[in-house]
Amino acid sequence: APRALSIWPNPSRGPLRLAFGPLGGDADLAILDLAGRRVATPWRGQSATPITVQWSGARDDGTPLLSGIYYARVSSRNGVAFTRRIIVLELA
């Protein structure tokens, strides 16, 4: 059975670790803003085993996210999805 998405530290002022899986087959880890728009894709690939990803807190274009609340979503082709809230704090 798939393991739920876990995120630490949360809230964060720097890199986050996100752990999930296995989901089986192709999977996608997306960071979404409150409007549901994808702002980052920290990981995409096969998830036959548990995965731990370190994410810098940057958008796909490399710019840092503003402080605020975001969502991490893990999904796969078979429709399994987990969503968790992330609080990103401005870097000191």
Side-chain angles (χ1 to χ4, degrees), residues 2-22:
R3 184 165 50 91
L5 174 65
S6 62
I7 303 167
W8 70 96
N10 190 16
S12 177
R13 291 187 187 276
L16 288 160
R17 290 183 191 209
L18 302 101
F20 61 92

Side-chain angles (χ1 to χ4, degrees), residues 5 7 32 70-74 81-85:
L5 174 65
I7 303 167
L32 311 173
Y70 297 87
Y71 290 93
R73 182 187 69 204
V74 175
F82 301 106
T83 303
R84 293 287 307 272
R85 186 174 65 174

Side-chain angles (χ1 to χ4, degrees), residues 2 9-10 12 14 17 25 31 35 41 46 48-51 61 63 67 74 77 80 85 87 92:
N10 190 16
S12 177
R17 290 183 191 209
I31 307 300
T41 307
Q46 298 283 320
T49 61
I51 302 290
D61 67 6
T63 59
S67 296
V74 175
R77 287 188 182 182
V80 175
R85 186 174 65 174
I87 300 172

